[in-house]
Amino acid sequence: EDSSFMTVMPYRPNYFLYTYNWHPNNEPWKMNDPGGRDLDYDETKFQLSFKFPIRENIGGVPISLYVAYTQISLWQTFRDDSAPFRDTNYEPEGFVIYAPDWPLFLDLKLSGLTLGFVHQSNGQGLGPLSRSWNRLYASVGVERPDLKVDLKAWYRFPENSEDDDNKNIEKYYGYGELRAAYNLRTDIEWLDNQVYSMMWRNNLRTTGNKGAIELGWSMPIGFLNGMRGYVQYFNGYGESLLDYDHPNARVGAGIMINDWAWR
């Protein structure tokens, strides 16, 4: 059946973390405050992400149209000079997904073929800290009850050199990413329903090779009514648009509202 418009659903994981970054990016920060102190190594990182179905099962086949929104914020929470948000990335997108659940092998199913358009920016207008880009992407997802794997490739819409505020961004983000998540199911109660996740990006260049890896571990916390504990490690480029050409090494721990969904 077709779903009603504006039914809110989680999209990517929603979480709130206390983090420590070994290599904060001070250069753009000093553009606004040349005489100020460097960034704190510890800051708060959180992600909000949800989607709305516009139309599901179009024409009686498993093709659905969605719009989605994701926001990642990096917040210098513990400073004594107004605790500013260092960078916030806004990412609206629209996509169509074909979800046939075709059986493949090793109990895997083809869970989705997706084509979408995504805009990402940090809302800084036309100043020196402004970052934005537009992409068309395609992805293929496979899964089984304990495993999800998604391979995504994208094409960046070109900009003229005067308007491009992310020059050579593909050199750092690459042209796609691989995500995987494994949900451990076991009779050992304290290990059951833990989720181990990974994101990997790389520009696949033999010289000037750059990319990023993100590792995650979430686990149930019974007294928090469905919420989960979450530990995340990120190393590489492009954690946020302001840091697209700066390598971060960050570890964080906190609370996750929802993990990746299994169909």
Side-chain angles (χ1 to χ4, degrees):
E1 296 181 357
D2 296 332
S3 66
S4 59
F5 180 60
M6 298 302 282
T7 301
V8 181
M9 295 182 285
Y11 182 37
R12 301 174 186 170
N14 289 268
Y15 57 78
F16 191 92
L17 304 176
Y18 166 79
T19 73
Y20 187 90
N21 181 10
W22 282 272
H23 304 292
N25 188 10
N26 286 299
E27 183 177 349
W29 182 259
K30 291 298 182 72
M31 290 182 183
N32 275 348
D33 188 10
R37 75 178 200 222
D38 289 345
L39 292 166
D40 286 354
Y41 289 86
D42 53 341
E43 63 185 357
T44 300
K45 176 181 179 180
F46 62 88
Q47 176 168 284
L48 304 174
S49 185
F50 47 88
K51 64 182 179 181
F52 307 105
I54 303 298
R55 187 83 169 175
E56 292 186 317
N57 296 320
I58 299 171
V61 297
I63 297 177
S64 301
L65 177 64
Y66 288 88
V67 294
Y69 175 78
T70 301
Q71 176 181 316
I72 295 178
S73 293
L74 298 171
W75 179 19
Q76 291 273 292
T77 316
F78 309 100
R79 295 177 69 99
D80 55 11
D81 53 351
S82 81
F85 279 81
R86 180 171 69 83
D87 196 26
T88 295
N89 290 181
Y90 310 95
E91 191 171 351
E93 65 183 287
F95 61 92
V96 58
I97 180 170
Y98 175 54
D101 276 344
W102 289 340
L104 299 173
F105 54 88
L106 299 177
D107 295 327
L108 287 168
K109 292 184 177 182
L110 178 65
S111 56
L113 298 172
T114 306
L115 181 67
F117 170 82
V118 57
H119 168 80
Q120 188 180 28
S121 72
N122 66 349
Q124 293 293 323
L126 299 177
L129 302 184
S130 175
R131 303 286 185 271
S132 66
W133 63 329
N134 297 307
R135 288 172 288 168
L136 182 70
Y137 70 85
S139 69
V140 56
V142 298
E143 66 179 70
R144 64 187 189 192
D146 62 350
L147 179 69
K148 289 176 65 72
V149 179
D150 186 83
L151 180 62
K152 177 187 289 186
W154 55 67
Y155 166 77
R156 182 194 182 189
F157 288 97
E159 301 179 45
N160 61 55
S161 58
E162 292 80 10
D163 297 331
D164 190 355
D165 47 25
N166 307 299
K167 297 185 187 300
N168 299 317
I169 193 171
E170 298 91 339
K171 176 181 177 181
Y172 301 94
Y173 271 87
Y175 300 91
E177 67 183 19
L178 174 68
R179 290 188 179 270
Y182 175 69
N183 188 356
L184 179 64
R185 308 301 301 183
T186 175
D187 293 332
I188 304 173
E189 184 175 356
W190 63 274
L191 283 175
D192 188 40
N193 199 24
Q194 297 189 12
V195 174
Y196 305 92
S197 59
M198 179 273 293
M199 180 281 296
W200 177 72
R201 291 194 299 258
N202 194 277
N203 62 17
L204 303 178
R205 300 184 183 189
T206 55
T207 58
N209 185 268
K210 300 181 187 301
I213 187 166
E214 181 183 281
L215 303 175
W217 169 40
S218 75
M219 73 295 295
I221 302 178
F223 64 88
L224 288 180
N225 192 28
M227 292 188 182
R228 303 173 65 86
Y230 183 45
V231 177
Q232 184 189 87
Y233 172 73
F234 181 94
N235 193 303
Y237 294 87
E239 187 180 23
S240 74
L241 283 179
L242 198 59
D243 295 341
Y244 84 93
D245 57 355
H246 175 86
N248 283 338
R250 182 192 305 274
V251 64
I255 298 298
M256 173 181 278
I257 299 173
N258 67 279
D259 211 320
W260 296 99
W262 271 260
R263 286 160 50 80

